Amino acid sequence: MPSLFFTRLRQGQRTLPFPDAGPDLPERFRGLPIIDQSLCPSGCDACVEACPTDAIASDDSLAIDLGRCLFCSECSNACPQGAIQFSRQYQLAASRRADLVLKTGQSLQLAHRLADDLHRILGRSLKLRQVSAGGCNGCEADINVLNTVVFDLGRFGIQFVASPRHADGLLVTGPVTRNMSLALEKTYAAVPHPKIVIAVGACAIAGGPFREHPEVLNGAGAILAVDLFIPGCPPHPITILDGLLRLIGKIASPAAAHGEAP
Amino acid sequence: MTISLPSFHNGEPISLASVPLLSIREFREEIIAAAGAGATLTALFGTPAESGRVRLFSVLGDPVAGGLAALSAEVDDAYPCLTVECPQAHWFEREIAEQWRIEPQGHPWLKPIRFQAPYRPPGRTWARLPGVTDFFAVRGPEVHEVAVGPVHAGIIEPGHFRFQCHGERVFHLEISLGYQHRGIEPALVGGPGKRTIHMIETLSGDTSIGHATAYCEAMEGLGGVAVPARAQALRAVALELERLANHTGDLAALAGDVGYLPTAAYCGRIRGDFLNLTAAICGSRFGRGMVRPGGVLFDVDPRLAADLTRRLDNALKDLEDAGRLMWDAPSVQARFQDTGAITAETCAALGLVGPAARACGVERDIRQDFPSGFFRFAQIPISRWSTGDVFARAWVRWLEIQRSGVFVREQLASLPHGAIQTPVGAPRPDHLVVVLTEGWRGAIAHVAITDPNGRFARYKVIDPSFRNWIGLAIAMREQQISDFPLCNKSFNLSYCGHDL
């Protein structure tokens, strides 16, 4: 018993002060990609060709689909001019799928709070059922970590629950395999109304590295209406937490500014 | 062995023409004799043959001499199964039956393992609705059945578990997987392509470094290049950090499952400290983007090495404290000891790998038996225990944490000088390469076969979970059903790594 006590003292208080203070991210962290169109040589499609998930389009100017992006840096490594750079912005969650397609000079429209009627019901107590539907255990692990003392998800009124009948919504990971689609549908049906769906990771948003495989449905959006998209492969836990807190209004999202880099 | 097979090393490509094409009778005799003499069945899988038949390949490993041997045979729609005489083959043969519509005749447990579409047209062999199969059932007074999953109570991947119980006692557990099947193997055929490494890194996303290293060593073998020593050392550091993080997380989960919250809370946090060390090197907590064919993408300068060492020491110190609490708690030991025990004989017969095998006293570790990369120059002693129970599986992880910690500290202090990357040539056509690495769950095997154009004709991935799921089922026999979560955590197997 004394050793329990002294260990407790030595291990100390480890909960991050987030969101009151910013997170301590690694120097080499790859967050929101930034496009500098002025550096992009015309006629060069090196980044488009390098991207493993076809997340980059170059019709009139470059556009990156953060929903497909693996944040792997193949594009920035391929660009001879450095026109694409990964910034340290960890806030990546969006409310609409279309908001994740980031064009040159456009800042990301971050997720907004739930509509008033939903927010009144779910804003202070959000219970989620997690369903992995082909997830690689990367997203799952970094969702699980929100339950540790470091992130202490419970202090925000958010909890992962065992039964869909006790849940206010689903948090889906993985590209939604054909072999899991029925189980996902049944789990969704078991959640009482009103209910929300959150898609975490490139797989759940757009299929990730398995996009267009006949065995997958390219994400949760194929069978469910998604209320929150959290990009990444996997997203950093702080990115997931930031998205959840925006959804319940504990972090406010300004309207996106157009014409300037974020 | 009745025929002498040419031996080759881990990562050494051999020409496809040099792989003996035997009759199915000789093929079976070779495998049964070798397995009986202590060889590991490293791989057994089908590939399409020009004749429209299926060519079965087998790779045998000699853990004492460190050599590998490959052999093959062509079959039509059926052949006499190996499983009865060589139980290691049981899951491989179920996979062959499902993928190629070939019946291993006499297989005692022939059911789908992934509920996937067969690779060989036409149609399907089994109904494709996952989890719908004829489960083994026990009947009698007071016998009942418990079905769990695919959706489980925690934040965890999907799988279906069917228990045959007598009161609280489990007679039998059958595990039915396939829910995570993403079609990775067919998507790798025709590669390598720009998406290949990303599928490899996410085929079991908590083992990105282990699988990426295996893939890259295969590409380097086929391309005929030697990777700079500094890159090899950094790969080994990343692999051991992956082991540290996952083993620590497993200790947290085991403590949590017996309700010992101090160690669960501390280790849950310390696991993140190890993940953050990997992120400090390559920006990703799971090592995504670290290992690439020809080397690594991120270097560690002296300042970063010093920072990593300081943080590693702090994490190990906290872990020592957190672990001691659990090892000294009689209530924890009472739950861990004698729960879910497997004998060394069963372990060897089934071909279990990794900490689960070493916990049965079986001395099996790719880093020692078939070393490749930096493990040819720097060794890590094998950690073993003998009781084969939950305690042993936890304790082996604890021992491995100590040894990996020492290894990482030593390597960071003495990284070889030089480049971290070298260009890799195109893969040699018509070759076969076998790469083994010791991931944190155990032996990872990749077998690449190239076509006449140097593209993948077949890329076979064998995650350690593929071999170990049966271990969990066996460990549950005669246990209380309430001990299932504990037994499950003590294996902590990958669903997606199995389902591919």
Side-chain angles (χ1 to χ4, degrees):
Chain A
M1 192 54 83
S3 62
L4 256 179
F5 176 73
F6 288 115
T7 301
R8 176 72 194 84
L9 283 182
R10 277 195 297 273
Q11 299 273 340
Q13 157 83 16
R14 301 296 187 123
T15 306
L16 292 175
F18 187 84
D20 300 331
D24 184 16
L25 293 167
E27 263 181 52
R28 290 168 175 172
F29 176 76
R30 291 184 292 278
L32 183 75
I34 309 275
I35 306 164
D36 186 340
Q37 191 70 40
S38 66
L39 293 176
C40 178
S42 67
C44 166
D45 264 348
C47 57
V48 177
E49 280 154 25
C51 180
T53 54
D54 305 319
I56 307 177
S58 63
D59 298 335
D60 40 351
S61 63
L62 287 180
I64 299 184
D65 182 350
L66 298 179
R68 292 189 192 177
C69 182
L70 303 181
F71 296 77
C72 67
S73 76
E74 304 281 0
C75 54
S76 57
N77 294 341
C79 179
Q81 304 295 328
I84 301 179
Q85 298 288 344
F86 283 84
S87 73
R88 294 172 54 74
Q89 181 181 329
Y90 62 88
Q91 302 99 328
L92 300 169
S95 295
R96 286 175 310 208
R97 179 69 183 86
D99 289 344
L100 291 176
V101 181
L102 198 64
K103 298 196 177 71
T104 308
Q106 208 177 45
S107 65
L108 174 63
Q109 172 61 61
L110 292 168
H112 51 67
R113 206 189 76 175
L114 288 165
D116 286 346
D117 52 340
L118 268 177
H119 182 253
R120 206 161 38 245
I121 301 169
L122 307 179
R124 294 199 293 178
S125 167
L126 180 63
K127 310 287 177 191
L128 295 170
R129 168 68 252 198
Q130 204 276 325
V131 180
S132 171
C136 75
N137 211 22
C139 288
E140 290 80 357
D142 265 353
I143 292 163
N144 234 331
V145 87
L146 296 178
N147 288 320
T148 63
V149 293
V150 179
F151 300 93
D152 190 15
L153 191 64
R155 71 194 149 126
F156 304 107
I158 306 173
Q159 190 192 351
F160 288 98
V161 294
S163 169
R165 302 228 185 261
H166 302 157
D168 302 308
L170 298 185
L171 188 152
V172 183
T173 53
V176 184
T177 55
R178 290 195 184 277
N179 281 358
M180 260 309 277
S181 61
L182 179 63
L184 179 58
E185 281 171 12
K186 285 188 173 183
T187 309
Y188 180 75
V191 178
H193 289 280
K195 48 188 160 186
I196 60 169
V197 175
I198 300 167
V200 172
C203 285
I205 298 174
F210 316 106
R211 186 179 169 71
E212 306 298 351
H213 286 195
E215 295 83 358
V216 306
L217 302 180
N218 294 339
I223 51 175
L224 302 174
V226 178
D227 301 277
L228 180 69
F229 300 87
I230 306 180
C233 186
H236 193 279
I238 214 77
T239 299
I240 303 172
L241 182 56
D242 173 80
L244 295 174
L245 294 184
R246 284 174 199 279
L247 187 73
I248 58 172
K250 292 206 160 96
I251 297 179
S253 299
H258 289 264
E260 59 180 276
Chain B
M1 293 186 188
T2 48
I3 302 171
S4 95
L5 297 167
S7 171
F8 55 96
H9 293 294
N10 184 3
E12 174 190 347
I14 58 168
S15 86
L16 216 43
S18 72
V19 178
L21 181 59
L22 309 174
S23 71
I24 188 67
R25 186 183 56 78
E26 294 166 320
F27 183 77
R28 290 181 77 256
E29 282 170 3
E30 284 295 324
I31 294 171
I32 292 164
T40 56
L41 185 59
T42 299
L44 176 64
F45 58 93
T47 61
E50 282 171 20
S51 52
R53 307 170 88 196
V54 171
R55 185 171 176 187
L56 297 181
F57 279 86
S58 173
V59 179
L60 296 165
D62 179 348
V64 179
L68 300 165
L71 54 162
S72 69
E74 288 191 6
V75 292
D76 290 309
D77 295 331
Y79 71 95
C81 81
L82 283 157
T83 298
V84 171
E85 286 151 289
C86 172
Q88 287 187 64
H90 74 118
W91 214 266
F92 290 109
E93 292 199 306
R94 286 174 63 177
E95 182 185 52
I96 288 167
E98 182 169 33
Q99 291 183 340
W100 300 100
R101 307 176 72 243
I102 290 171
E103 188 188 349
Q105 290 160 326
H107 193 294
W109 205 261
L110 201 55
K111 304 175 190 188
I113 61 169
R114 300 194 181 95
F115 299 88
Q116 67 167 87
Y119 296 159
R120 199 162 65 140
R124 47 183 67 168
T125 22
W126 281 296
R128 288 276 312 287
L129 207 54
V132 178
T133 184
D134 54 335
F135 288 96
F136 182 82
V138 178
R139 290 199 183 82
E142 295 178 48
V143 171
H144 67 278
E145 188 175 73
V146 178
V148 181
V151 178
H152 304 157
I155 303 173
I156 181 173
E157 299 177 67
H160 183 75
F161 301 86
R162 195 71 74 95
F163 300 88
Q164 307 296 323
C165 302
H166 186 247
E168 293 293 301
R169 204 165 119 218
V170 176
F171 281 154
H172 179 73
L173 162 63
E174 187 164 354
I175 301 170
S176 183
L177 303 173
Y179 298 93
Q180 300 283 71
H181 180 59
R182 296 152 293 170
I184 291 175
E185 281 189 357
L188 292 172
V189 170
K194 62 183 181 177
R195 213 188 267 185
T196 307
I197 184 74
H198 301 284
M199 283 193 276
I200 297 288
E201 283 186 330
T202 52
L203 70 86
S204 176
D206 50 28
T207 316
S208 294
I209 298 289
H211 278 289
T213 301
Y215 167 72
C216 291
E217 288 183 1
M219 293 305 294
E220 289 144 10
L222 290 169
V225 295
V227 176
R230 188 175 180 85
Q232 291 185 9
L234 288 170
R235 282 179 182 178
V237 165
L239 185 71
E240 297 311 312
L241 285 175
E242 190 167 81
R243 194 179 323 275
L244 282 166
N246 283 295
H247 280 6
T248 305
D250 286 348
L251 293 179
L254 286 164
D257 264 351
V258 297
Y260 195 71
L261 298 185
T263 301
Y266 303 143
C267 286
R269 189 262 302 169
I270 299 162
R271 168 182 169 276
D273 292 346
F274 291 125
L275 291 177
N276 288 338
L277 293 182
T278 301
I281 297 174
C282 70
S284 159
R285 285 156 56 91
F286 295 88
R288 308 283 164 83
M290 178 66 187
V291 184
R292 287 292 180 272
V296 293
L297 286 189
F298 297 91
D299 205 351
V300 172
D301 63 19
R303 186 186 61 84
L304 179 56
D307 184 46
L308 291 171
T309 304
R310 181 183 57 78
R311 290 164 62 183
L312 175 73
D313 286 344
N314 285 341
L316 289 170
K317 190 153 85 38
D318 286 351
L319 185 56
E320 174 67 28
D321 244 14
R324 278 290 150 214
L325 284 183
M326 176 167 81
W327 305 124
D328 292 346
S331 63
V332 172
Q333 296 312 308
R335 287 294 309 281
F336 281 11
Q337 289 173 12
D338 300 324
T339 303
I342 297 179
T343 64
E345 293 72 34
T346 303
C347 169
L350 292 173
L352 305 186
V353 294
R358 295 191 283 274
C360 300
V362 175
E363 194 168 331
R364 189 172 286 176
D365 188 323
I366 299 298
R367 294 170 295 177
Q368 174 184 283
D369 302 338
F370 305 95
S372 67
F374 207 67
F375 296 105
R376 290 170 297 168
F377 313 116
Q379 278 79 38
I380 297 181
I382 290 190
S383 306
R384 280 194 299 166
W385 198 250
S386 58
T387 50
D389 51 4
V390 170
F391 169 77
R393 288 187 284 275
W395 186 249
V396 165
R397 286 180 171 91
W398 178 252
L399 296 176
E400 293 189 359
I401 285 169
Q402 318 305 322
R403 288 168 174 178
S404 294
V406 169
F407 177 87
V408 171
R409 193 189 292 112
E410 281 176 4
Q411 298 317 316
L412 286 173
S414 59
L415 287 173
H417 294 287
I420 58 165
Q421 274 183 63
T422 190
V424 179
R428 275 178 241 188
D430 290 321
H431 270 67
L432 175 147
V433 66
V434 179
V435 176
L436 304 172
T437 59
E438 184 72 22
W440 63 274
R441 282 193 187 92
I444 293 169
H446 286 207
V447 185
I449 297 176
T450 54
D451 68 12
N453 301 313
R455 316 299 294 180
F456 295 141
R458 185 83 161 99
Y459 195 98
K460 188 85 201 83
V461 174
I462 302 155
D463 187 83
S465 305
F466 185 88
R467 302 169 197 270
N468 276 7
W469 274 110
I470 188 67
L472 171 59
I474 298 295
M476 273 310 292
R477 289 193 176 169
E478 297 300 322
Q479 302 300 302
Q480 301 277 302
I481 192 168
S482 52
D483 277 334
F484 174 67
L486 186 60
C487 288
N488 190 25
K489 295 279 172 34
S490 76
F491 282 87
N492 190 12
L493 300 172
S494 173
Y495 300 73
C496 56
H498 172 274
D499 291 347
L500 300 175

